[in-house]
Amino acid sequence: MTYQDICREIANVEDSHGTRAYDEREARAVARILLEDVLGFTLADIYGGKQVNCSADFIRAFNLIRQGVPVQYAVGKALFADRYFKVTKGVLIPRPETQELCLWVAEDCKTAGTILDIGTGSGCIAITLALETMAKVTAWDIANEALQTAKANAQALGADVTVERQDALKVTDDGRRWDVIVSNPPYICQKEKVDMEANVVDHEPSIALFVPDSDPLMFYRAITRYASTSLNKGGCLFFEINPLYAKEMETMAEEEGFAHFETREDQYGKKRMMKIWKE
């Protein structure tokens, strides 16, 4: 079996709707990740037609992919900001647009003393910021698997991150103060689910993805309200946002006492990141 053989098999994988899960380009990308991350293949190995050693780990991962499981869950890790993070089905797979947000924070807040990441999941934002800045970083989540995964990733990558259990919807001013608060909270409305890829809906944790249609800003409002009293003077709040609600985000932030906004587009041209501050 070679890379080309694997590509053909992956291109024939069907999702739970009975449609092709990957186009040819996506199948090639998935095959590369599988070979690089499980067998350590180089690009020369891949494109040179090296035969695949069907080890137990490779067979297990390949079978999961053929069942429609996202490749990151199949291989157990995902690349984010040039580092590999352990991912399990209990945490969201890190996305390129989240990396863009994280790198914006790292560049903009190099002198920050304290950073709080709310809804940390795999810990990819908190750990990257701990390694890219001099700040003392704290990470919150409510899910047990997310807390365990974030701790494991911090230890594996040598990042000094304090991981704590906290419900973002029930947070109150506890006297602690932060220079930066960053969050990629759940923001996809239930009505948007019909347009999403089946392998995302079927396999990634709904608790990290979806909010009610009736209150799409529920997490943003709770976090912004907390930030309004817990940010240090000159502190700022960074969000990954739903492009559909960028304007509503500004209105909500103004209602919570924030007067300044900067919105940035992701690599796909969608309004995806927002910085909010008072002065």
Side-chain angles (χ1 to χ4, degrees), residues 111-116 134-138 177-181 232:
T111 61
T114 53
I115 296 176
L116 172 64
M134 300 298 292
K136 179 177 175 59
V137 180
T138 300
R177 296 294 177 259
W178 316 96
D179 294 318
V180 176
I181 297 176
N232 287 322

Side-chain angles (χ1 to χ4, degrees), residues 250 253-261 275-279:
E250 293 183 1
E254 286 181 331
E255 292 172 350
E256 298 299 331
F258 290 84
H260 304 285
F261 321 94
K275 175 184 177 182
I276 302 170
W277 70 102
K278 292 184 178 181
E279 298 296 339

Side-chain angles (χ1 to χ4, degrees), residues 77 124 146-147 159-160 232:
K77 58 184 176 180
C124 60
L147 295 167
D160 185 8
N232 287 322

Side-chain angles (χ1 to χ4, degrees), residues 7-8 10 20 59 65 67 75 95 100 118 121 125 150 162 167 173 176 183 188 196 217 219 251 259:
C7 287
R8 282 191 289 271
I10 293 174
R20 290 283 179 89
I59 292 170
I65 291 168
Q67 294 165 24
V75 303
R95 299 300 204 278
E100 292 181 71
I118 299 181
I125 292 177
T162 301
D167 185 345
D173 190 344
R176 288 189 284 182
S183 183
I188 302 171
M196 296 176 64
L217 303 187
F219 284 96
T251 300

Side-chain angles (χ1 to χ4, degrees), residues 98-259:
T98 306
Q99 177 176 305
E100 292 181 71
L101 170 68
C102 193
L103 296 180
W104 181 16
V105 177
E107 180 64 29
D108 201 65
C109 304
K110 286 187 178 298
T111 61
T114 53
I115 296 176
L116 172 64
D117 173 27
I118 299 181
T120 197
S122 66
C124 60
I125 292 177
I127 291 165
T128 300
L129 293 177
L131 295 173
E132 297 292 337
T133 73
M134 300 298 292
K136 179 177 175 59
V137 180
T138 300
W140 288 352
D141 209 292
I142 192 174
N144 286 334
E145 191 156 2
L147 295 167
Q148 293 168 5
T149 303
K151 288 178 181 178
N153 279 324
Q155 182 175 9
L157 292 166
D160 185 8
V161 175
T162 301
V163 180
E164 301 175 352
R165 179 189 302 278
Q166 176 63 57
D167 185 345
L169 295 177
K170 296 179 180 179
V171 62
T172 57
D173 190 344
D174 59 2
R176 288 189 284 182
R177 296 294 177 259
W178 316 96
D179 294 318
V180 176
I181 297 176
V182 59
S183 183
N184 174 24
Y187 61 68
I188 302 171
C189 290
Q190 294 289 332
K191 63 185 178 184
E192 298 176 74
K193 188 182 292 189
V194 295
D195 297 320
M196 296 176 64
E197 295 178 355
N199 64 348
V200 175
V201 176
D202 293 344
H203 296 283
E204 298 201 51
S206 59
I207 191 175
L209 290 170
F210 298 108
V211 290
D213 293 344
S214 60
D215 194 4
L217 303 187
M218 58 187 292
F219 284 96
Y220 296 107
R221 187 179 302 105
I223 294 168
T224 303
R225 187 163 295 168
Y226 172 70
S228 68
T229 60
S230 63
L231 280 175
N232 287 322
K233 183 175 177 59
C236 51
L237 179 58
F238 288 85
F239 283 126
E240 182 174 323
I241 68 171
N242 187 330
L244 297 175
Y245 297 100
K247 190 62 181 176
E248 288 83 351
M249 283 287 297
E250 293 183 1
T251 300
M252 179 276 298
E254 286 181 331
E255 292 172 350
E256 298 299 331
F258 290 84

